Amino acid sequence: MPKIQVNGTELFYDISGAGQPLLLLSGFACDHSCWSLMMPLLAKTNLVIRVDNRGVGRSSLPTHPYLMKDLAGDISALLEYLQIQKVSVIGHSMGAQIAQVLTSNYSEKVKNLILLSSWKEANSIFHNIIDTWGELPKILDYQQYQKVILPWLFTDKFLSSPQAFARIIKIAVNYSFRPNPQSLYYQSQAILNSSISGGMSTISCPTLVMVGRQDILTPVAFSQQLLQFIPQAELRIIDHCGHGLLIESPHTVASNILDFLARTSVTNI
């Protein structure tokens, strides 16, 4: 499996498919595998690059706190290593925050921006949830931890089946590369200390903002606020799914992404 040393971190990445480069950035506690259900569609027409952020998956564990700009710097260094001059970027949740910082700080490298379940300035409810998610792994085992966070990620319909709920928890608990408590704490702090509002006006590339209509963690209002600060942004609200839209509606999300990339590729060369 390919890894590179960037900014004192061993960074794991995976490349699949062929075509225009498409970079996928994962959210809190997630590694590159969170995109698996969408990969068959995305990799048909794109060179898809997936990354494990520092501290999760197969990337090395951080030894000290970091900021969102450090995570964006890791990605910029990876793109330079891969000799990719311009890329379309998709980020989910925390990954969307990384994507926004990447686009603000390294605008010459981003062709299109796709923000899933994102925000500009979150509210106190969100901040308290993320703070709790960073602290709970110190006192709960991983199975209990999943039982706490999953109801915030999925719709009632999705979780109404006890078998489905148990299956998701089993997959998470048995995953070979699940994050440790320290890594989750550092990620939570990076989210809480994120400040990207000052750079929002520098995002001028075509941007798609997408959110689940029943997202209770980063609600539709968060995405609507983004449109006020990104001039070329358009909004897609996906019915019948919540924050975990990569799992609840992977085909719908992927189809919207591919449609957006096809439309913008004509005018954004």
Side-chain angles (χ1 to χ4, degrees):
M1 294 293 182
K3 295 182 180 181
I4 63 166
Q5 288 285 341
V6 295
N7 304 324
T9 299
E10 189 177 56
L11 205 66
F12 170 87
Y13 66 95
D14 172 81
I15 299 180
S16 303
Q20 292 297 310
L22 181 62
L23 174 68
L24 311 183
L25 302 176
S26 307
F28 176 80
C30 298
D31 64 14
H32 73 284
S33 64
C34 74
W35 302 94
S36 296
L37 295 178
M38 295 171 57
M39 283 299 292
L41 284 175
L42 296 180
K44 275 185 177 181
T45 54
N46 296 278
L47 180 73
V48 181
I49 306 150
R50 295 183 292 171
V51 186
D52 288 351
N53 296 316
R54 59 171 74 181
V56 296
R58 298 173 217 190
S59 292
S60 61
L61 302 178
T63 57
H64 52 78
Y66 51 84
L67 298 172
M68 209 63 68
K69 67 178 183 179
D70 299 314
L71 297 173
D74 292 345
I75 302 305
S76 175
L78 173 63
L79 293 175
E80 290 181 9
Y81 172 80
L82 296 175
Q83 298 183 336
I84 295 176
Q85 295 183 348
K86 214 168 184 67
V87 64
S88 295
V89 180
I90 308 175
H92 175 245
S93 196
M94 187 191 84
Q97 296 293 289
I98 301 171
Q100 289 177 65
V101 176
L102 179 72
T103 308
S104 295
N105 293 354
Y106 309 94
S107 59
E108 73 282 359
K109 297 182 179 182
V110 180
K111 181 179 180 181
N112 299 291
L113 179 62
I114 300 170
L115 304 174
L116 311 177
S117 310
S118 190
W119 65 95
K120 173 184 176 285
E121 293 178 358
N123 57 24
S124 58
I125 295 174
F126 175 86
H127 283 283
N128 277 281
I129 293 168
I130 298 301
D131 184 52
T132 300
W133 286 5
E135 295 288 349
L136 281 179
K138 302 174 184 178
I139 58 176
L140 296 180
D141 65 41
Y142 203 63
Q143 180 170 332
Q144 292 173 316
Y145 182 66
Q146 290 296 315
K147 288 182 178 180
V148 170
I149 68 173
L150 285 179
W152 288 95
L153 305 181
F154 299 105
T155 60
D156 179 69
K157 180 180 180 180
F158 187 81
L159 294 173
S160 61
S161 166
Q163 293 82 7
F165 190 67
R167 185 168 62 252
I168 294 174
I169 292 176
K170 183 177 180 180
I171 291 172
V173 169
N174 292 331
Y175 186 54
S176 300
F177 302 100
R178 72 187 194 201
N180 67 17
Q182 190 64 51
S183 293
L184 292 174
Y185 175 74
Y186 282 153
Q187 276 204 344
S188 71
Q189 292 304 300
I191 294 171
L192 293 174
N193 292 318
S194 174
S195 178
I196 60 174
S197 57
M200 294 290 287
S201 60
T202 64
I203 298 178
S204 58
C205 64
T207 301
L208 174 64
V209 178
M210 200 182 313
V211 63
R213 190 175 297 278
Q214 294 172 267
D215 191 331
I216 58 174
L217 182 64
T218 56
V220 171
F222 285 13
S223 288
Q224 290 172 330
Q225 186 185 47
L226 283 170
L227 269 64
Q228 302 173 26
F229 297 91
I230 305 178
Q232 296 195 57
E234 58 183 84
L235 177 64
R236 291 287 183 276
I237 300 174
I238 308 302
D239 291 327
H240 312 303
C241 65
H243 193 74
L245 72 179
L246 303 185
I247 294 175
E248 285 195 90
S249 299
H251 290 85
T252 299
V253 173
S255 295
N256 275 274
I257 289 171
L258 293 174
D259 173 70
F260 172 75
L261 292 175
R263 286 187 290 107
T264 55
S265 65
V266 177
T267 57
N268 183 28
I269 300 174

